[in-house]
Every structure is written in C-alpha cells, then in structure tokens.
C-alpha cells in the first residue's frame, strides 16, 4: 500500500511522528462523534452555572455536532502540553511574583503559542497528506475538549472537573486538530482514579464545586477574577483571598498533581503574601494608579488581558482588602476621587473602591 493510502496503523504512526517532532509527545486520537458528555453539558447550562458566559449557550449546537466546524471531518487529534514550568515565558512580565496568579497564566497567552504549535503540525501533515483537511483549536472555539481528551485515552475527568492523568496530573493545556483523516481508534477512556478523595471539593473557598464533577462557575474564583465583568457580591469577596487572577487550589491539592510535582513545588508556585510585601505593595499600587488602557497595553500578549483594565483594578481592590494592604489606602482614595470626577465613571468599580477603603480603614 502506498504512502498516499496508508493502513490505519501506518497512518497513526506517521501522525504520531509529526506530533512528537513538533513538541507534542502526549497525544491521542478519537473519532469525531457526538460527545459522550453532551447531556451533562446541557444540564450544566440549564442550571445557569455558566453565569455571564452566554457564548457557552450559543455554542451548544456546534458542540453537539463537532463535525459542523469542519465538514467531512472524521477524527480529532488531541494533544496536551504541560504549563509547569511555563513553556512560553512572557518576555517582559510587568509584575513581580508576589501576586497570586494561576500557573497557566504566568507567561504568554496559551491561545497563541499552543495554536502556533498546532499550526506547525498542520503544515507538516498537509505536506504528507495533501488531499486531507485540518483545522486546529486552542480553547477559543466551541469544542468540548475534555470529552475528546478522555475519549482519546489521555485521562479521566476528575472531581475538580479537570482532565486528570496518573502520570502527568492535570497542570496541562489541551488542544485539538479536527481532520478528514480516519484513524483506527478504540475506546480508550481511562478508568476513574479519584476514588473516595474529595480534597478538591473541600479546599474550594467559595464552594464552587457543588458536587463531584459539577462546577458552579458563578462561584469559581477563576470566573470571578477573569470572565466576569461584574463586582462579586460582598459574601464572595473575602473568600477570594489573595487570588489576583484565577485559582489553582483544586488542582494543587490533588494527590495526582502532588505525586507528579511534589507538594513543596506546588506550594512554591504561590509564595506567602508577606515574603516580599514591598513588591506586592508596589504592584498593587501600580495597578490601582494606572489607566485601563495602560494596564491592557502592559499585559498584552498574556492571559491577564482577558480581565481588561476594569477586571484588573477590581481584582487589585479585592486583594488589597483581603490581605490588609493598608499601604495602598492612598491609591484607593485617589481612585475614588478620579471615579467621582469622571462623568463616565464605572459605578461598580467606585462602589468596590469605597468598600475596600472601609475595609482598610478598619484595620
């Protein structure tokens, strides 16, 4: 049989060689069919757990019929890439390491560098299979990624809703390539190895994990500090603690991650707030005193841009209040003055700044 028409086994081997060469040794293949978990996703939406993320509702039909993103597509190539240590450090990180930022976000935006890697794979595959079609995704399209990854044998869905691997934990990104290539795929779904462990549910400060594998995003610190364009209710603000952007708690407490990285290394990802208090004060003061546009320019090319100027200031105010950074009280007062004088003031941010001032004044 010619290389233009390889056997299923030869096809898998050829594609695996390309993936390995392009830096994706952890990969799998699955048929592109209706997701196994689509009914769970529909129930999740019906419960309103998506909060303000209305695009997740609009994506339902495309997630139910994945082939709609590439007509004639038959398979998905699924890859994972570790982000500890970060594979693409930002060339000029504008803040010190004292702010608690989710580990995946401490570098270049993965939507860019992961997709760049997948596009390199596609160029190589098109050279070998010129009659086939390919399209890649990196968490910016209507794809049920964890469903595909689990079906491709890359792990199981843990109680914290993340994809978990016995050998690699869960601190990795997931990307996909839809293709018209047809692989010989078996049912490779990995057995659940969470057992009776509930550490992820117990550590969540806001109770966002309402049940095993059931996340109410409206309570999740990652949602509250990244996706939301609102100010959290008062009862949630103090539960955010020192988290400035995202949250790693339900992953770093997981025994499978501790087995891979060690508990000490995971704890070191987020130093104690007072280990370099002056750096923390300096960063929070800069964020509070900068313009929205200035912040967005400084964080361009990183995941923190997702929160926008409003979100970054909102998060800084909450961290100041929760950690008792009274040294930033002056910047909070100035922010209140600026917002009072600005006719286009964001009333939500003004209310939060006043709340932060009251919290700090009471210290």
């Amino acid at each position: 049989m010619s290389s233009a028409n390889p056997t299923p086994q030869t096809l898998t081997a050829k594609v695996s060689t390309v993936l390995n060469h392009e830096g994706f040794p952890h990969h799998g293949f699955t048929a592109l069919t209706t997701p196994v978990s689509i009914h769970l996703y529909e129930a999740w939406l019906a419960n309103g757990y998506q909060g303000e993320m209305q695009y997740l509702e609009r994506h339902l039909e495309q997630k139910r019929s994945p082939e709609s993103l590439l007509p004639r597509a038959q398979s998905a190539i699924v890859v994972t890439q570790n982000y500890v240590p970060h594979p693409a450090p930002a060339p000029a990180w504008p803040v010190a390491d004292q702010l608690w930022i989710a580990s995946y976000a401490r570098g270049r935006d993965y939507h860019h560098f992961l997709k760049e890697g997948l596009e390199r794979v596609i160029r190589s595959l098109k050279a070998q299979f010129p009659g086939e079609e390919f399209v890649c995704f990196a968490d910016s399209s209507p794809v049920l990624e964890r469903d595909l990854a689990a079906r491709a044998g890359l792990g199981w869905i843990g109680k914290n809703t993340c994809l978990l691997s016995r050998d690699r934990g869960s601190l990795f990104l997931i990307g996909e390539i839809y293709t018209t290539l047809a692989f010989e795929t078996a049912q490779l779904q990995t057995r659940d190895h969470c057992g009776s462990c509930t550490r992820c549910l117990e550590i969540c400060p806001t109770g966002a994990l309402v049940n095993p594998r059931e996340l109410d995003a409206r309570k999740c610190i990652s949602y509250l500090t990244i996706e939301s364009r609102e100010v959290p209710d008062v009862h949630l603000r103090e539960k955010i603690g020192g988290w400035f952007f995202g949250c790693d708690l339900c992953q770093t407490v997981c025994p499978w991650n501790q087995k891979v990285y060690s508990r000490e290394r995971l704890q070191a990802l987020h130093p104690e707030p007072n280990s370099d208090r002056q750096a923390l004060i300096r960063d929070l003061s800069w964020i509070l005193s900068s313009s929205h546009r200035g912040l967005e320019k400084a964080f361009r090319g990183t995941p923190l841009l997702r929160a926008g100027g409003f979100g970054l200031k909102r998060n800084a105010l909450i961290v100041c209040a929760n950690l008792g950074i009274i040294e930033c009280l002056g910047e909070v007062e100035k922010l209140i003055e600026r917002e009072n004088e600005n006719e286009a003031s964001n009333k939500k941010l003004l209310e939060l700044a006043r709340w932060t001032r009251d919290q700090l004044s009471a210290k």
Side-chain angles (χ1 to χ4, degrees):
M1 184 170 287
S2 70
S3 60
N5 187 26
T7 66
Q9 295 85 354
T10 304
L11 174 62
T12 301
K14 281 178 171 288
V15 174
S16 287
T17 298
V18 171
L19 291 163
N20 292 334
H21 181 264
E22 296 297 343
F24 295 108
H26 304 289
H27 57 262
F29 309 91
T30 187
L32 201 58
T33 56
T34 301
V36 172
S37 62
I38 191 65
H39 65 290
L40 298 175
Y41 184 70
E42 292 169 342
W44 187 79
L45 292 174
N47 284 328
Y49 288 160
Q50 71 276 20
E52 301 165 46
M53 298 181 289
Q54 296 177 351
Y55 61 91
L56 295 177
E57 301 173 54
R58 296 194 296 271
H59 289 171
L60 176 59
E61 287 305 316
Q62 289 173 301
K63 288 180 175 177
R64 185 184 285 122
S65 303
E67 70 281 359
S68 64
L69 296 176
L70 180 65
R72 296 200 309 118
Q74 299 191 64
S75 309
I77 304 166
V78 189
V79 306
T80 63
Q81 184 173 38
N82 289 13
Y83 56 77
V84 176
H86 203 281
W93 193 242
V95 292
D97 288 333
Q98 297 303 299
L99 286 172
W100 286 8
I101 296 171
S103 300
Y104 80 87
R106 289 184 169 273
R108 288 180 57 212
D109 191 336
Y110 68 93
H111 293 91
H112 303 319
F113 71 78
L114 180 57
K115 192 165 186 178
E116 289 167 3
L118 294 174
E119 287 172 344
R120 290 196 305 270
V121 171
I122 287 178
R123 287 195 292 272
S124 295
L125 291 177
K126 281 185 174 179
Q128 292 197 38
F129 307 102
E132 304 293 348
E133 298 177 51
F134 307 88
V135 63
C136 62
F137 309 103
D139 194 35
S140 58
S141 299
V143 176
L144 286 179
E145 297 187 307
R146 287 165 294 174
D147 185 285
L148 284 172
R151 287 160 51 200
L154 298 178
W156 74 96
I157 307 302
K159 292 180 182 178
N160 60 3
T161 74
C162 297
L163 185 76
L164 275 169
S165 164
R166 296 180 70 183
D167 300 323
R168 303 179 57 231
S170 65
L171 300 178
F172 49 72
L173 307 167
I174 305 174
E176 309 79 33
I177 296 174
Y178 285 8
T179 177
T180 51
L181 289 171
F183 299 96
E184 185 177 60
T185 56
Q187 287 296 324
L188 298 173
Q189 197 147 352
T190 307
R191 187 169 65 86
D192 183 339
H193 292 282
C194 284
S196 60
C197 178
T198 56
R199 292 186 193 179
C200 55
L201 281 76
E202 294 161 4
I203 202 170
C204 181
T206 59
L209 288 165
V210 294
N211 287 300
R213 303 174 183 84
E214 186 176 359
L215 174 73
D216 185 345
R218 298 168 299 182
K219 298 179 182 179
C220 178
I221 292 174
S222 289
Y223 169 82
L224 294 171
T225 58
I226 303 174
E227 297 294 337
S228 177
R229 297 297 177 260
E230 301 293 330
V231 168
D233 291 340
V234 172
H235 77 280
L236 286 172
R237 293 175 193 174
E238 66 178 19
K239 296 178 180 179
I240 292 174
W243 287 101
F244 176 71
F245 187 91
C247 177
D248 285 333
L249 287 175
C250 68
Q251 295 195 80
T252 54
V253 76
C254 176
W256 292 110
N257 278 318
Q258 293 181 358
K259 175 186 175 184
V260 174
Y261 295 98
S262 85
R263 185 176 304 177
E264 292 72 24
R265 185 178 182 190
L266 294 175
Q267 289 174 341
L269 293 174
H270 307 293
E272 290 297 322
N274 287 321
S275 61
D276 190 346
R277 187 176 178 87
Q278 290 307 309
L280 183 61
I281 294 168
R282 184 171 61 249
D283 288 341
L284 290 170
S285 296
W286 168 68
I287 292 166
L288 292 174
S289 60
S290 297
S291 67
H292 289 197
R293 184 174 297 178
L295 289 172
E296 290 165 5
K297 181 179 180 181
F299 286 106
R300 186 172 300 152
T302 79
L304 277 75
L305 182 63
R306 178 77 172 174
F310 163 79
L312 295 172
K313 284 181 178 288
R314 171 199 61 199
N315 299 348
L317 287 167
I318 293 173
V319 170
C320 282
N322 288 339
L323 298 185
I325 310 296
I326 58 175
E327 294 88 345
C328 288
L329 182 56
E331 294 299 342
V332 174
E333 294 279 12
K334 292 176 185 177
L335 190 155
I336 293 172
E337 291 174 11
R338 291 195 301 271
E339 293 297 323
N340 274 326
E341 295 171 358
N342 186 358
E343 292 184 2
S345 169
N346 188 310
K347 302 304 179 185
K348 293 178 288 190
L349 193 63
L350 180 58
E351 180 276 324
L352 179 63
R354 288 171 174 162
W355 174 83
T356 300
R357 176 190 60 190
D358 293 343
Q359 299 300 304
L360 294 176
S361 297
K363 298 295 183 182

